[in-house]
Amino acid sequence: MKQLAERMRQFMMVPADNPELLKAQYRAFSRQMPLMYFILMSSTWAVAFTHIAVAPLWLTIGMPILFTLICVARVLHWQRSRRVDQPPERALRALRQINYLAFGIAIAFTSWSFLLFPYGDAYTRSHLAFYMAITVISCIFSLMHLRSAALIVAIIVNGAFIAFFAATGQPTFIATAANIALVSIGMLVILNVNYRDFARMVNAQTEAQRREEAQSRLLRMIDDMPVAVMTVEPDTLNINYANETSKHLIGQIEHLLPIKADALLGTSIDVFHRHPEHQRRLLANPANLPHNARISLGSEVLDLKVSAIMAGDGTYLGPMLTWAIVTKEVEAEKRIRQLAHYDTLTGLANRITFNEQMEASLAAPGDGPGLLFIDLDGFKLVNDTRGHRVGDELLRQVAGRLRTVGNDPAMTIGRLGGDEFAVLIPHDHTPALEQLAGRIIDALSLPYVLEHNRQVQIGASIGIAFAPMHGNTGEALLARADIALYAAKAAGKGTYRVFSDEMESKIQERVRLQAKLRASLQTRNGLFVFYQPIIDALTKRVTTREALIRWYHPQRGWVSPGEFVPIAEQSGLIDQLGEFVLNTACLDAAGWEDGARVAVNISAAQLGKGTIVPAVLEALTRSGLAPGRLEIEVTETAMLDDEHGGVGDLRRLRDIGVRVALDDFGTGYSSLTHLRAFPFDKIKIDGSFVKDAVERPESAAVVRAIADLGKRLGVTTVAEGVETEAHLNRVLEEGCSEVQGFFYGRPEPSARDAMAVAELNKAIAEYVVA
């Protein structure tokens, strides 16, 4: 019973969960309620008129007037409110009031009818029954959009009617009551069906309106989108919608189309395609979508993305195209690909692309490929002395010559970085590779005409390796070609070498030697400083002793400085090695009784980094040696490798009182330029001129010219490599100030190291004898 009562309560309530239904009900009542009140009043006054002669006036006149006033007030209320669109909250309150009013109206008019029933004859009573029937029908149909109110009226009026007339015992009235009961049941069914249909209709209209608003918002959004959008009829493929961006873009390219932007709608999508048959087949079937494509239209590129628009029931409504003019983007993508895969300076394949091509060639069936690893000889000098702009132009011309020589489409030419290039050949025919390497060296060694018609000349060294003999991976092949390149440079540059196992053994020996040298620098075992005297040519007094590094290897014995010093320079150990020599030489010189200076050689790799001056100051401070007793020797190569940084370091050394000498003068590039660039305290003439001066007049002339130049500049000149009395007499004749060589003394260890060196030499001698 409780559940039934709850269901009845909910059934009779005004639903508040559907705002649009509430508003629709209110609008319906604003039209129907005045009509209901008119039917009530007209019917009421008709009954009053038939009873005016038989019933009291308060029933026939007073009550109808009261009813009329109430109905007129309600009609005026509904006339005023129908002009205003009520919010859901007010509509809900009004509908709840209608429920209450329906209850009151049903009670009032039913009670009035029953009060009149005792008066009059059978005709007036029949009229009264008719009045109650038509009144309840009109009220129910007027209140049909609010099921609860209509039910209230039906239950109260018809319930009372049926019960009252059935109780009269009169057959006609009983039949009428039964008829009304059946009609009431039918009316209630119709009422419920109509109410449900009304609610569904309102919900459908609300949903349709919502969809329409959503579609309108979507269209406004699409119109305002920065992306061009078009839709197409699925049957004709005619454009039926285009947003503003589409029209704007069409305006930009309409010179390439047979239509104008204003005539876009209704035009076939074929205007974008020279051969539209494939496109028509694609768009006609939604199974082909989505689809992306880029099409060229004259000088422009269009990016098209086509998707299928489907209805809620799965029906294909047609294709939607989003498109854009991507000409600049395509050009940018090409540029990005170019930057990613090709060297920006030369246009050759970069390292990444070259390695990818090499791996692809290695993966292909058959032997090969062959690899030429090219390094430019003398490029760094041009780049440093002429500037990077000239260096870049030189690299571009080198790339052009490589393209000319390696014009086979099957070859891949790449710039691996700096002045390193490589050529990949799809075969391993050694004679052909060597011939190509020779042609490349010849081509790259010819003079280059640069800006202002200035010419420069460089060379090239090449290392050759080929698969599978020298490696099955790109990394291995490149490493072997690099080893061969190192061998070519060691052979004097301007040549090529094919990789061999012997080369790799030498490289491995260099690696082992580097490790041993690093260990010796950490422990100071096996490292010694020897000294060779420099003699004044007139007084025969020792003016300077040159400090020379020596290294004893446990397995190899004494290792030549010409072998381990380059290793130190290339491996970054030269600073440690240089500091060891500098500190040792200063400490030893501080104890010399004759007050001779000490000369220390400085590598090109130590200059230009801002570290040499602090190292010198520390060595002088630690040893207590006067700056004037330290002489720094640099080669012309050091001046060339880092002219600006190197000269700056040398100037700072000279400012603190350290003397600076130019070693191996005459063997480098533009020697006189260096004398002008820096005020050297001493010039050391390379020993090759001294040795040849005895037999070759031109070498003697060079010695004489340098000695005369030293006198004019006020610079001491030292003749190196004086090994015999003939050498000595010749350099004295040519005017050299000082001499150095085996004639006056070989390099010897300090007194502190003499015993240790003697023991090492004894061990070597015993090993040789054994």
Side-chain angles (χ1 to χ4, degrees):
M1 291 299 292
K2 288 183 179 179
Q3 291 180 353
L4 179 62
E6 179 63 23
R7 291 180 65 181
M8 287 298 297
R9 190 183 69 82
Q10 292 179 357
F11 189 76
M12 298 296 291
M13 283 179 60
V14 179
D17 58 347
N18 192 337
E20 294 301 323
L21 179 59
L22 292 173
K23 292 165 67 176
Q25 288 172 312
Y26 189 89
R27 287 193 297 270
F29 283 130
S30 68
R31 295 188 299 270
Q32 294 169 190
M33 292 303 285
L35 183 60
M36 184 190 76
Y37 288 124
F38 174 76
I39 294 172
L40 282 174
M41 288 304 93
S42 61
S43 300
T44 299
W45 280 108
V47 170
F49 178 76
T50 59
H51 286 76
I52 196 167
V54 295
L57 290 178
W58 68 273
L59 282 175
T60 57
I61 300 298
M63 292 299 292
I65 289 175
L66 178 61
F67 291 161
T68 300
L69 291 175
I70 294 172
C71 288
V72 168
R74 296 302 299 170
V75 167
L76 293 175
H77 166 76
W78 284 110
Q79 288 291 349
R80 288 193 303 270
S81 61
R82 72 185 297 177
R83 300 187 184 94
V84 181
D85 189 15
Q86 301 295 337
E89 297 81 8
R90 291 194 60 181
L92 178 61
R93 287 198 300 271
L95 293 176
R96 287 174 175 170
Q97 289 175 1
I98 290 173
N99 268 347
Y100 300 139
L101 286 172
F103 182 82
I105 288 171
I107 294 293
F109 281 89
T110 302
S111 299
W112 180 69
S113 300
F114 288 157
L115 289 172
L116 285 174
F117 189 79
Y119 303 98
D121 54 15
Y123 290 105
T124 55
R125 290 176 178 177
S126 298
H127 185 195
L128 194 61
F130 176 76
Y131 163 74
M132 293 184 71
I134 63 170
T135 299
V136 75
I137 292 172
S138 65
C139 286
I140 287 174
F141 278 106
S142 297
L143 297 170
M144 64 186 298
H145 298 312
L146 183 60
R147 182 172 53 189
S148 56
L151 284 173
I152 288 171
V153 172
I155 291 170
I156 293 173
V157 176
N158 286 356
F161 181 94
I162 294 167
F164 182 82
F165 282 94
T168 60
Q170 212 282 331
T172 302
F173 286 139
I174 293 173
T176 302
N179 191 23
I180 287 297
L182 294 174
V183 170
S184 296
I185 293 172
M187 287 177 60
L188 292 177
V189 172
I190 294 171
L191 169 67
N192 196 47
V193 171
N194 283 340
Y195 177 78
R196 227 174 20 243
D197 290 344
F198 175 74
R200 288 173 180 171
M201 180 190 70
V202 171
N203 290 336
Q205 289 176 344
T206 302
E207 180 64 19
Q209 183 179 3
R210 187 191 64 78
R211 289 181 179 178
E212 184 178 352
E213 290 175 353
Q215 185 177 14
S216 177
R217 285 196 303 271
L218 180 60
L219 287 176
R220 286 196 301 271
M221 289 172 58
I222 293 175
D223 265 338
D224 295 338
M225 282 175 62
V227 178
V229 178
M230 294 188 300
T231 58
V232 179
E233 292 286 349
D235 299 327
T236 62
L237 295 185
N238 289 338
I239 300 169
N240 56 14
Y241 170 78
N243 69 349
E244 291 301 318
T245 305
S246 281
K247 296 173 184 177
H248 176 70
L249 292 183
I250 289 294
Q252 293 181 18
I253 60 172
E254 61 183 7
H255 62 286
L256 302 171
L257 298 170
I259 61 164
K260 299 297 182 182
D262 296 337
L264 184 62
L265 296 183
T267 302
S268 173
I269 198 73
D270 295 347
V271 295
F272 292 101
H273 303 276
R274 189 173 300 172
H275 303 290
E277 296 81 8
H278 171 70
Q279 208 66 22
R280 280 182 163 273
R281 288 193 300 271
L282 190 72
L283 299 181
N285 186 358
N288 297 326
L289 305 179
H291 174 71
N292 297 341
R294 279 187 175 176
I295 60 174
S296 297
L297 193 66
S299 59
E300 304 288 352
V301 179
L302 308 184
D303 184 78
L304 301 177
K305 294 180 174 60
V306 189
S307 56
I309 305 176
M310 310 298 289
D313 59 359
T315 305
Y316 180 43
L317 298 179
M320 180 176 72
L321 289 78
T322 57
W323 65 286
I325 301 174
V326 293
T327 308
K328 292 182 179 179
E329 288 82 349
V330 169
E331 292 174 354
E333 289 171 3
K334 290 180 180 178
R335 178 62 177 162
I336 290 171
R337 284 196 297 271
Q338 178 75 16
L339 292 174
H341 295 283
Y342 295 91
D343 177 55
T344 55
L345 179 63
T346 62
L348 298 176
N350 61 15
R351 179 180 287 272
I352 294 174
T353 303
F354 188 87
N355 287 341
E356 289 175 352
Q357 186 61 43
M358 183 159 53
E359 294 293 346
S361 297
L362 287 166
D367 291 338
L371 176 64
L372 274 61
F373 193 4
I374 306 165
D375 186 78
L376 302 181
D377 301 328
F379 170 78
K380 189 176 187 304
L381 174 63
V382 175
N383 196 52
D384 291 345
T385 57
R386 300 290 185 91
H388 294 299
R389 188 173 65 178
V390 172
D392 290 348
E393 175 58 27
L394 181 56
L395 289 175
R396 281 191 285 266
Q397 291 194 28
V398 167
R401 294 187 185 185
L402 286 174
R403 288 192 189 95
T404 302
V405 177
N407 57 358
D408 186 342
M411 293 184 185
T412 300
I413 305 173
R415 181 187 177 207
L416 304 187
D419 60 349
E420 293 179 344
F421 297 82
V423 180
L424 191 68
I425 299 94
H427 59 78
D428 61 348
H429 188 231
T430 305
L433 293 176
E434 292 182 357
Q435 290 175 9
L436 176 62
R439 293 199 304 272
I440 290 174
I441 291 172
D442 292 343
L444 298 185
S445 300
L446 294 174
Y448 295 83
V449 180
L450 303 176
E451 58 182 11
H452 309 304
N453 290 323
R454 294 181 178 176
Q455 288 190 354
V456 298
Q457 193 163 3
I458 59 174
S461 299
I462 299 177
I464 302 174
F466 48 84
M469 180 178 294
H470 299 148
N472 291 317
T473 66
E475 183 179 1
L477 202 61
L478 195 59
R480 302 290 167 73
D482 191 20
I483 292 173
L485 173 62
Y486 181 85
K489 284 187 171 292
K493 303 182 180 181
T495 186
Y496 63 84
R497 288 290 183 270
V498 178
F499 173 80
S500 66
D501 293 338
E502 182 184 355
M503 294 177 185
E504 189 165 31
S505 299
K506 290 181 178 179
I507 291 295
Q508 291 172 351
E509 176 60 25
R510 283 177 58 85
V511 172
R512 287 192 291 269
L513 205 61
Q514 176 184 323
K516 286 291 186 181
L517 178 60
R518 188 183 302 275
S520 294
L521 284 169
Q522 292 174 350
T523 62
R524 295 293 192 263
N525 290 330
L527 290 173
F528 301 94
V529 176
F530 285 28
Y531 299 93
Q532 185 176 30
I534 300 175
I535 308 298
D536 184 287
L538 297 178
T539 65
K540 311 302 181 187
R541 184 177 63 86
V542 176
T543 61
T544 310
R545 293 181 180 89
E546 182 177 0
L548 301 169
I549 184 67
R550 293 293 184 265
W551 179 34
Y552 181 84
H553 190 282
Q555 285 77 41
R556 292 184 50 183
W558 295 105
V559 181
S560 168
E563 185 176 358
F564 71 82
V565 169
I567 292 176
E569 290 176 334
Q570 294 168 11
S571 62
L573 298 174
I574 191 63
D575 288 331
Q576 296 180 50
L577 190 64
E579 289 177 10
F580 169 78
V581 175
L582 188 61
N583 287 320
T584 303
C586 289
L587 283 171
D588 288 342
W592 294 340
E593 295 180 357
D594 59 5
R597 291 185 294 271
V598 63
V600 177
N601 290 279
I602 297 297
S603 166
Q606 292 176 262
L607 292 174
K609 298 188 295 185
T611 57
I612 187 63
V613 176
V616 168
L617 286 172
E618 183 180 355
L620 293 174
T621 302
R622 181 181 298 175
S623 64
L625 186 71
R629 290 187 60 197
L630 176 61
E631 196 169 89
I632 296 296
E633 292 188 6
V634 295
T635 63
E636 293 182 82
T637 304
M639 299 289 290
L640 288 174
D641 283 345
D642 191 2
E643 182 173 330
H644 301 292
V647 169
D649 280 346
L650 296 178
R651 289 189 188 281
R652 283 187 287 276
L653 288 174
R654 214 163 178 276
D655 288 342
I656 63 176
V658 175
R659 293 166 58 87
V660 181
L662 181 59
D663 197 11
D664 298 334
F665 183 74
T667 61
Y669 175 85
S670 191
S671 298
L672 295 178
T673 300
H674 302 134
L675 291 179
R676 186 177 60 183
F678 186 83
F680 290 99
D681 297 290
K682 181 181 290 185
I683 301 173
K684 300 185 75 173
I685 305 171
D686 187 71
S688 61
F689 295 110
V690 174
K691 292 175 182 177
D692 292 343
V694 175
E695 305 294 336
R696 300 177 60 181
E698 63 271 20
S699 294
V702 170
V703 174
R704 185 185 307 114
I706 296 173
D708 289 343
L709 180 64
K711 290 178 183 177
R712 293 178 182 276
L713 295 175
V715 176
T716 301
T717 54
V718 179
E720 295 181 296
V722 176
E723 297 181 356
T724 65
E725 188 173 355
H727 292 158
L728 176 63
N729 293 334
R730 174 59 68 186
V731 298
L732 291 178
E733 290 174 6
E734 304 302 342
C736 291
S737 308
E738 296 180 351
V739 294
Q740 178 183 2
F742 290 171
F743 183 77
Y744 281 107
R746 293 177 176 273
E748 297 289 344
S750 64
R752 180 185 62 255
D753 294 332
M755 185 175 295
V757 171
E759 289 293 332
L760 292 175
N761 288 332
K762 180 180 179 182
I764 292 173
E766 290 175 351
Y767 177 79
V768 171
V769 172

